[in-house]
């Protein structure tokens, strides 16, 4: 029994240490970035879809497709954050249909880094209310989205899309940061309607910071 307990503790320590290390990833155009946190939640640090050197993702490509090294999709970070922040896992295709095409004719890649943040997660289904709170310390919101990023959370007959992104991080920080508790209202009247006809939910990841 003691050996099993020690093995479990060792596994947890390994997972926490693994999560604590910043993760870097390069994905060639046409492939998908698969991000994962074992115990914690994803926080995108940086992201660029484009090309900034002539050495990455060059196999089989002619010179004219890899010579432009001043290629950056301006919205790369916000797109990755909207899709992945606050999730335990996330898959994003490195394609023009997701990031747009910042340099036509150039073969691109997605270069990103992310952390796995220890946090609490709250999900409030549309037209419901809930409360987030801290027993010790005060609330600090890491990420908030009102929309729908999967078809499983808050099951509903109108859960028909999984690409409804409406970042509410700034809004929830202004409402909740520094408080011991904060009421959440998952409603179009509060956040407007980012995807008409789709049943939504409010997801919030937060931590409890010391005073």
């Amino acid at each position: 029994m003691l050996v099993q307990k020690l093995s479990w503790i060792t596994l947890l320590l390994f997972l926490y240490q693994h999560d604590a290390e910043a993760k870097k990833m390069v994905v060639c155009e046409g492939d998908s970035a698969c991000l994962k946190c074992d115990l914690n939640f994803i926080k995108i640090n940086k992201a660029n879809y484009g090309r900034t050197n002539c050495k990455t993702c060059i196999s089989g490509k002619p010179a004219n497709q890899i010579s432009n090294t001043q290629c950056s999709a301006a919205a790369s970070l916000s797109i990755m954050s909207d899709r992945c922040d606050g999730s335990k896992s996330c898959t994003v295709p490195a394609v023009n249909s997701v990031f747009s095409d910042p340099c036509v004719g150039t073969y691109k890649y997605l270069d990103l880094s992310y952390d796995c943040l220890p946090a609490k997660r709250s999900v409030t289904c549309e037209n419901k209310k809930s409360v987030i709170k801290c027993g010790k310390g005060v609330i600090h919101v890491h990420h908030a989205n009102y929309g729908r990023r999967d078809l499983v959370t808050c099951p509903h007959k109108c859960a028909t899309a999984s690409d409804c992104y409406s970042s509410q991080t700034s809004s929830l920080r202004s409402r909740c940061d520094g408080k011991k508790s904060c009421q959440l209202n998952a409603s179009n009247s509060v956040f407007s309607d980012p995807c008409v006809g789709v049943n939504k939910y409010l997801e919030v990841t937060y931590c409890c910071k010391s005073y």
Side-chain angles (χ1 to χ4, degrees), residues 48-52 68-73 101-104 106 108:
N48 181 61
Y49 178 69
R51 176 168 290 278
T52 58
N68 180 2
T69 58
Q70 304 294 317
C71 175
S72 299
D101 192 345
C103 42
V104 177
T106 294
K108 295 164 282 292

Side-chain angles (χ1 to χ4, degrees), residues 51 55 87 140 184:
R51 176 168 290 278
K55 297 179 180 179
S87 300
H140 172 67
L184 307 177

Side-chain angles (χ1 to χ4, degrees), residues 10-78:
T10 302
L11 176 60
L12 283 176
L13 287 172
F14 170 78
L15 291 175
Y16 272 113
Q17 185 177 18
H18 183 257
D19 266 5
E21 299 171 353
K23 297 170 174 58
K24 297 181 180 180
M25 184 180 298
V26 174
V27 180
C28 301
E29 183 177 353
D31 292 333
S32 292
C34 299
L35 291 64
K36 182 181 179 183
C37 291
D38 293 309
L39 297 172
N40 299 315
F41 297 93
I42 295 168
K43 176 69 174 77
I44 303 295
N45 295 323
K46 70 171 187 176
N48 181 61
Y49 178 69
R51 176 168 290 278
T52 58
N53 67 61
C54 55
K55 297 179 180 179
T56 303
C57 293
I58 61 173
S59 179
K61 301 301 174 184
N64 66 318
Q65 289 186 12
I66 60 174
S67 58
N68 180 2
T69 58
Q70 304 294 317
C71 175
S72 299
S76 299
L77 180 58
S78 63

Side-chain angles (χ1 to χ4, degrees), residues 11-202:
L11 176 60
L12 283 176
L13 287 172
F14 170 78
L15 291 175
Y16 272 113
Q17 185 177 18
H18 183 257
D19 266 5
E21 299 171 353
K23 297 170 174 58
K24 297 181 180 180
M25 184 180 298
V26 174
V27 180
C28 301
E29 183 177 353
D31 292 333
S32 292
C34 299
L35 291 64
K36 182 181 179 183
C37 291
D38 293 309
L39 297 172
N40 299 315
F41 297 93
I42 295 168
K43 176 69 174 77
I44 303 295
N45 295 323
K46 70 171 187 176
N48 181 61
Y49 178 69
R51 176 168 290 278
T52 58
N53 67 61
C54 55
K55 297 179 180 179
T56 303
C57 293
I58 61 173
S59 179
K61 301 301 174 184
N64 66 318
Q65 289 186 12
I66 60 174
S67 58
N68 180 2
T69 58
Q70 304 294 317
C71 175
S72 299
S76 299
L77 180 58
S78 63
I79 289 170
M80 287 300 301
S81 295
D82 286 347
R83 289 172 175 255
C84 298
D85 277 5
S87 300
K88 282 187 172 292
S89 63
C90 179
T91 300
V92 180
V95 293
N96 295 336
S97 59
V98 172
F99 295 96
S100 76
D101 192 345
C103 42
V104 177
T106 294
Y107 185 65
K108 295 164 282 292
Y109 54 86
L110 176 61
D111 184 6
L112 66 93
S113 71
Y114 68 99
D115 287 319
C116 293
L117 296 181
K120 299 182 178 184
R121 183 172 185 260
S122 167
V123 174
T124 311
C125 300
E126 186 174 356
N127 297 322
K128 301 292 184 182
K129 295 180 180 180
S130 66
V131 175
I132 57 174
K133 56 187 176 181
C134 289
K136 293 182 179 180
V138 294
I139 294 167
H140 172 67
V141 173
H142 286 310
H143 175 262
N145 184 75
Y146 180 66
R148 178 167 287 276
R149 301 198 294 181
D150 65 59
L151 302 178
V152 178
T153 304
C154 293
H156 194 277
K157 64 180 181 180
C158 293
T160 54
S162 58
D163 58 351
C164 179
Y165 312 112
S166 177
S167 176
Q168 299 298 328
T169 305
S170 296
S171 173
L172 267 292
R173 282 178 178 170
S174 66
R175 294 177 189 214
C176 301
D177 274 17
K179 296 180 179 179
K180 296 286 291 181
S181 66
C182 185
Q183 186 176 72
L184 307 177
N185 183 3
S187 169
N188 294 338
S189 62
V190 176
F191 299 110
S192 75
D193 192 344
C195 42
V196 177
V198 175
N199 180 261
K200 295 164 283 291
Y201 53 86
L202 174 65

